Amino acid sequence: MLIILLDDLGFGAPSVFGGPCFTPTAERLAADGLKYTRFHTCAMCAPTRNALLTGRNHHTVGMGCLPELATSAPGYTSIRPNTCAPLAETLKLNGYATAQFGKCHEVPLWQTSPMGPFDQWPTAAGLSTFTGSLAARPTSITRRCTKAPGLLSQTGPRRRLPLHRGYD
């Protein structure tokens, strides 16, 4: 199973949905799979992504707005309740390998530091591997999180070493 969510794009842009942008790979994937054309978007990235990843209304999973605008009002806390299991958790419990790549704007703002807590991070939501950014906007810093039983490790920014004489 492969779920592709292209953020801030709209259905009209790629050719796979009749748009002007030629996307042959997406067309090949869609030809052998399913295309959902009646997906309800929430007009904001994080609520839409949470609705897709859980199969529930974005207010039910606490993401009635962007995490940066969270309040204590029900449905707007940016904290997914334990009663709303993400699709990845269900798949993982049934033996599937799970991963997410790219922007993960579902983590409450105050939980994005390396100090945690990590219970809302992608690896705590059933994803075996996450590579991407926990922030709203992608940065040059890529975070890679993996989770083994009882262990969460994160590598910091990947830096290219400067080339010096004698180094290949």
Side-chain angles (χ1 to χ4, degrees):
M1 176 187 300
L2 175 65
I3 296 174
I4 300 173
L5 175 63
L6 301 173
D7 205 356
D8 298 328
L9 184 64
F11 284 120
S15 61
V16 70
F17 289 104
C21 298
F22 184 57
T23 52
T25 303
E27 289 180 22
R28 284 194 304 273
L29 286 170
D32 293 331
L34 299 174
K35 277 193 317 187
Y36 293 102
T37 58
R38 294 178 54 96
F39 177 69
H40 172 74
T41 64
C42 307
M44 290 181 282
C45 58
T48 300
R49 192 176 296 107
N50 265 307
L52 175 68
L53 295 175
T54 61
R56 297 172 183 253
N57 181 280
H58 57 293
H59 290 95
T60 304
V61 294
M63 196 64 68
C65 60
L66 299 174
E68 293 84 359
L69 304 173
T71 68
S72 61
Y76 292 88
T77 62
S78 79
I79 297 176
R80 186 186 69 259
N82 292 336
T83 56
C84 299
L87 175 62
E89 184 69 29
T90 304
L91 292 171
K92 187 176 178 182
L93 291 173
N94 285 283
Y96 289 85
T98 56
Q100 180 177 351
F101 306 98
K103 181 175 86 169
C104 174
H105 193 197
E106 301 95 50
V107 180
L109 192 60
W110 61 91
Q111 293 187 10
T112 59
S113 83
M115 297 302 291
F118 306 111
D119 58 330
Q120 297 288 319
W121 280 37
T123 50
L127 294 159
S128 304
T129 301
F130 167 70
T131 301
S133 171
L134 294 177
R137 59 200 167 277
T139 65
S140 60
I141 298 174
T142 299
R143 294 183 177 176
R144 178 175 170 82
C145 309
T146 57
K147 185 167 185 174
L151 172 69
L152 176 69
S153 65
Q154 172 187 355
T155 59
R158 296 179 184 173
R159 296 183 182 94
R160 292 183 64 86
L161 296 175
L163 296 176
H164 297 286
R165 238 175 240 143
Y167 287 87
D168 292 340

